[in-house]
Amino acid sequence: MLTRWRCNLRVRIAIAGAGVSGFATLGYLVEAFKAMPSAGVLIYLLQPPREIHTENLSAPQRDRLIHLKNIGINLSQLFGGGHVYHPVQPSLFTFNGNSAARGFNFVAQRYDTSDYFEWVQANRRLLATLYPDFAPEKGQQRHRDHTLNDIQGTTPRGVYGLYLHAQFLALKAHLPEHIALQIIPEALQTFTQIEQKVTVKTNTQKLSVDYLVQATGHRFAALRSEWVGHVFNAYPCDRYGYNLPPQVTVVGAGPAGIEVALHALHNLNVAQVTLLSRRAQSRLPQVEPTESYECQWFTREKMRLQPTAKNAKALLQQELKVCYQACNLPYPGWDALLKIEDYSTFLENYLQTTNQSPNHPFAHLVRPVMSFYDQVKDLLPAVEQIGVLQLINQVKPLFATQSRPCAELMLAALQAKRLRLMAGEFLPEQVTPTILHLDGTQAHPDGIILATGFVPSIPPFYPQSSDTRCYSVMGTSLSSVHSRAANVASVITRLVRRQTLHVSFVISPDLQM
Ligand SMILES: Cc1cc2nc3c(=O)[nH]c(=O)nc-3n(C[C@H](O)[C@H](O)[C@H](O)COP(=O)(O)OP(=O)(O)OC[C@H]3O[C@@H](n4cnc5c(N)ncnc54)[C@H](O)[C@@H]3O)c2cc1C
C-alpha cells in the first residue's frame, strides 16, 4: 500500500541562484526531504553561466583560471559560492576562516566527509599552486598570516568558493532516489503565482513549479551610460583592469572598498587610490579576544528600562569606558574615537596594541554592537529604531571587520602615501562623475570604483501573503543567509508534509478508515 501512494506526490521546486543562499536552501531541502521518501521531489536550480573578462585579470588570476580549467573545473559554471566567493577573484580578497565555522557551518550537515578545514588540508598542494602568493599578487611579500596551516585565520574567499563547489558536487552525487536535481543554466526572468502553481520563466523555458525560492543575491545600483569607462562597480572585479587611470577614487571605505583599493594598487598598476567615505574612516581588522567579556551596560535589559536611542548611546559610552578599564587601556574618550584626525596613526596603534594582546574593547564589543539593533528593535518605537540604527552606523567603523592582513597592507599603503582617506560622497545623479567633498568643493576624477553597497537583484515583488509559494533567501553575512535558508526550507517541507498526508488520506482506502 505504502509504495502505491508513495510516488504519487510529485513536488517541483525552483531555486533561482546558486550562491551561498541558493546552495544553503538546497542543502536544507535535501536534508529535510531525505526523511520524506513518500514525496518525489524535483528541484530545478537556475544559475546562468558567469562571463569572465580575462583581459582584466592579473597574471596570477589568469594562471589560476587556466590551472582550474586543466583539472576540469569550469569557472564560468560553479555552484555554491556565488559572486562573493568566486575563485577568479584576487587572492587578497580574503575572509576569516572562522566565519565559515561560526556562520555557515557545512560541518554540521556536510555532504561528504570533509569540513572546510579538513578540505583545505586535503587540498594543500592544489591550493598552493592556485594561490602561490596567498596575498598581494605582485611585488609584495607574502603575508605571514597567509598560511594554509592556520586556516582558522584568513583565507582567500575564492578557496571557500572552491570548497562550496566541491560540496555541491558531493551533495549531487549523494542524492537519494526520490530527489532529482536539474540544473538550468539560465537566469530567472519572471515568475507568477496563480493559485498554488508558480510559473517560472527564463529566456527559453517556462517551468511550472509548486514553490520558488529566489536566491539571486545582491547587485550594485545601475551605472549611467555616460559613465562607461570611467565609473565601475567594485564587483565583479573583472569588469575593470589595466584600463584604470593612475589615480583612482574608490567610494566606500568598508571591507569591499578596502580590498578593491588594495587590488587596484597591488595588481592593476594604479599609482594612488583615494578612499572616500562620509567620515574619512575605514574599518578595523577583526581580532578574536582570548578572554571573555560580558557587557554590563550595553544590554537589552538596560534598554528595556529606557527604550530610546539616547539611552543606547549613553549605555554604549558607559560600556566602552568600563571595557577599556577591564582591558587596562586608557580610554581616549567618545569624541576622539568618533573623530579620528590621523587615521594612519590610529590604525597603527590599534594594530600594535592588538598584536600585544587581542583583548581590546573593540574586539570584545564587536558582536554586541553589531547585533544590538536586532536585539532591541522590538522594544523600540519606530523613531527610536532609526536613532539606534544611526548610532550603530556612526560607530560601525570601529567595530565592523576586515581581515588583519588587509589592514596591514592598508597601513603600508597609507604610510607610503599611495592610499589616502578623504571625507565626501559620490553624486549619483550627475551626468559627469562627481565627488562632493566635505568643504562643498566638487571633483571629477577620471576613474571611480563604487563600493557603496548593494541592492537586491530582483525586487521582491511577490505578495507576502500566507498562501504565497514564492520565497526569498538573502542576507549580508553567512550566518544570516544560513538561518533564512533554514527557515524557508522548513516552511516548504512543512507544506509538503501536509500535502503528503492529504495524498495518503485520499489514495489509501485503508488510511481513510
Ligand atoms: C566583499 C564581501 C565580503 C564578505 N565577506 C564575508 C565574510 O567574511 N563572512 C561572512 O559571513 N559574510 C561575508 N560576506 C557576506 C555574505 O557572504 C554574502 O552576502 C553572501 O555570500 C550572499 O550570497 P548570495 O547567495 O545571497 O548572493 P550571491 O553570492 O550574489 O549569489 C547569487 C547568485 O544568483 C545568481 N543570479 C543572479 N540573478 C539571477 C537570476 N535572475 N536567475 C538565476 N540566478 C541568478 C548569481 O549569478 C549568483 O550566482 C561578504 C560579502 C561581500 C560582498
Side-chain angles (χ1 to χ4, degrees):
M1 177 59 60
L2 214 62
T3 41
R4 241 187 64 209
W5 58 265
R6 249 185 186 175
C7 294
N8 273 344
L9 180 65
R10 294 244 171 259
V11 185
R12 287 166 189 259
I13 303 169
I15 301 175
V20 288
S21 297
F23 185 30
T25 308
L26 176 69
Y28 276 112
L29 284 172
V30 168
E31 276 309 295
F33 282 120
K34 263 187 194 164
M36 236 191 280
S38 52
V41 184
L42 172 57
I43 302 177
Y44 297 107
L45 188 59
L46 285 78
Q47 174 60 54
R50 189 190 194 285
E51 194 194 342
I52 296 172
H53 294 229
T54 39
E55 72 281 9
N56 289 329
L57 300 182
S58 64
Q61 283 174 292
R62 241 178 271 168
D63 288 349
R64 193 180 315 133
L65 204 135
I66 293 166
H67 193 89
L68 285 168
K69 208 185 240 171
N70 288 343
I71 59 168
I73 297 179
N74 176 4
L75 279 197
S76 60
Q77 197 58 301
L78 287 184
F79 298 93
H83 283 311
V84 176
Y85 302 96
H86 200 281
V88 82
Q89 301 188 114
S91 53
L92 62 70
F93 285 19
T94 57
F95 90 133
N96 295 310
N98 52 23
S99 284
R102 200 175 42 234
F104 196 63
N105 193 354
F106 271 83
V107 185
Q109 61 272 343
R110 63 197 182 206
Y111 310 115
D112 62 1
T113 48
S114 54
D115 67 29
Y116 181 44
F117 309 114
E118 290 162 355
W119 182 86
V120 167
Q121 294 315 313
N123 288 280
R124 282 179 73 96
R125 285 180 63 177
L126 169 66
L127 296 177
T129 311
L130 295 176
Y131 294 91
D133 43 336
F134 208 168
E137 307 224 353
K138 238 168 62 183
Q140 270 249 296
Q141 252 195 321
R142 184 180 137 125
H143 192 279
R144 62 187 156 71
D145 282 359
H146 284 161
T147 147
L148 294 173
N149 290 325
D150 178 24
I151 217 59
Q152 298 264 3
T154 307
T155 60
R157 280 204 299 283
V159 171
Y160 193 55
L162 286 170
Y163 164 74
L164 291 175
H165 181 67
Q167 293 291 292
F168 172 83
L169 296 180
L171 172 138
K172 197 161 159 268
H174 293 108
L175 285 177
E177 264 184 17
H178 68 287
I179 305 177
L181 178 65
Q182 191 177 328
I183 290 162
I184 314 254
E186 284 188 72
L188 165 74
Q189 297 295 343
T190 57
F191 59 91
T192 46
Q193 181 181 340
I194 296 174
E195 292 183 353
Q196 299 199 330
K197 281 286 162 210
V198 183
T199 304
V200 167
K201 282 191 191 158
T202 69
N203 273 340
T204 66
Q205 299 193 46
K206 190 165 138 184
L207 308 166
S208 176
V209 296
D210 304 288
Y211 303 93
L212 166 69
V213 181
Q214 185 217 325
T216 49
H218 297 80
R219 64 173 171 80
F220 286 98
L223 299 176
R224 298 179 74 108
S225 58
E226 297 91 339
W227 300 341
V228 169
H230 299 282
V231 182
F232 305 89
N233 280 321
Y235 307 106
C237 67
D238 55 316
R239 296 297 184 270
Y240 50 88
Y242 297 105
N243 47 351
L244 287 172
Q247 316 277 336
V248 166
T249 298
V250 174
V251 184
I258 294 165
E259 68 183 15
V260 164
L262 294 175
H263 175 47
L265 288 174
H266 289 296
N267 305 329
L268 301 178
N269 295 338
V270 168
Q272 197 183 46
V273 170
T274 302
L275 197 53
L276 197 82
S277 67
R278 291 225 163 80
R279 285 191 193 82
Q281 279 186 25
S282 187
R283 302 289 171 92
L284 291 176
Q286 179 167 333
V287 178
E288 284 299 324
T290 49
E291 285 165 16
S292 63
Y293 178 83
E294 202 166 320
C295 286
Q296 301 169 31
W297 295 92
F298 200 53
T299 64
R300 182 177 161 83
E301 289 64 41
K302 289 268 193 285
M303 279 297 282
R304 201 195 292 275
L305 299 176
Q306 199 184 325
T308 64
K310 196 171 165 213
N311 185 39
K313 184 176 170 187
L315 293 174
L316 179 56
Q317 287 176 327
Q318 192 63 21
E319 193 68 63
L320 271 164
K321 230 187 267 176
V322 171
C323 196
Y324 265 92
Q325 259 167 15
C327 296
N328 292 321
L329 290 169
Y331 178 51
W334 178 256
D335 291 339
L337 286 179
L338 289 194
K339 202 164 180 303
I340 297 158
E341 300 290 348
D342 178 354
Y343 195 81
S344 173
T345 307
F346 172 79
L347 180 61
E348 191 177 11
N349 282 344
Y350 180 77
L351 290 173
Q352 263 171 15
T353 313
T354 49
N355 221 5
Q356 282 152 15
S357 162
N359 297 301
H360 188 281
F362 300 159
H364 284 307
L365 297 180
V366 57
R367 279 181 203 112
V369 168
M370 297 310 285
S371 65
F372 192 71
Y373 176 72
D374 283 335
Q375 306 268 346
V376 301
K377 70 173 176 230
D378 63 305
L379 302 174
L380 305 170
V383 64
E384 300 298 338
Q385 286 185 3
I386 295 170
V388 170
L389 270 181
Q390 282 169 344
L391 171 73
I392 301 299
N393 276 334
Q394 198 185 7
V395 297
K396 215 172 173 180
L398 299 177
F399 298 104
T401 56
Q402 61 155 311
S403 76
R404 191 173 181 100
C406 274
E408 289 180 7
L409 293 173
M410 187 184 163
L411 178 62
L414 283 167
Q415 289 172 337
K417 309 239 178 292
R418 292 187 70 206
L419 180 67
R420 59 179 181 163
L421 281 161
M422 281 192 88
E425 60 182 304
F426 179 70
L427 302 180
E429 304 304 329
Q430 303 286 317
V431 173
T432 308
T434 304
I435 301 293
L436 175 66
H437 291 300
L438 215 54
D439 60 6
T441 56
Q442 294 192 351
H444 308 285
D446 203 22
I448 297 179
I449 301 177
L450 300 177
T452 39
F454 300 106
V455 292
S457 311
I458 302 179
F461 51 86
Y462 42 81
Q464 289 294 318
S465 69
S466 57
D467 60 355
T468 185
R469 296 293 184 104
C470 307
Y471 308 90
S472 162
V473 173
M474 70 166 69
T476 50
S477 69
L478 289 169
S479 51
S480 59
V481 161
H482 188 252
S483 63
R484 180 77 191 140
N487 228 346
V488 165
S490 107
V491 170
I492 293 176
T493 40
R494 207 167 45 235
L495 288 169
V496 172
R497 196 169 289 120
R498 226 183 274 159
Q499 221 180 327
T500 318
L501 292 174
H502 178 73
V503 169
S504 66
F505 185 75
V506 171
I507 289 175
S508 163
D510 302 350
L511 292 175
Q512 285 184 39
M513 311 243 322

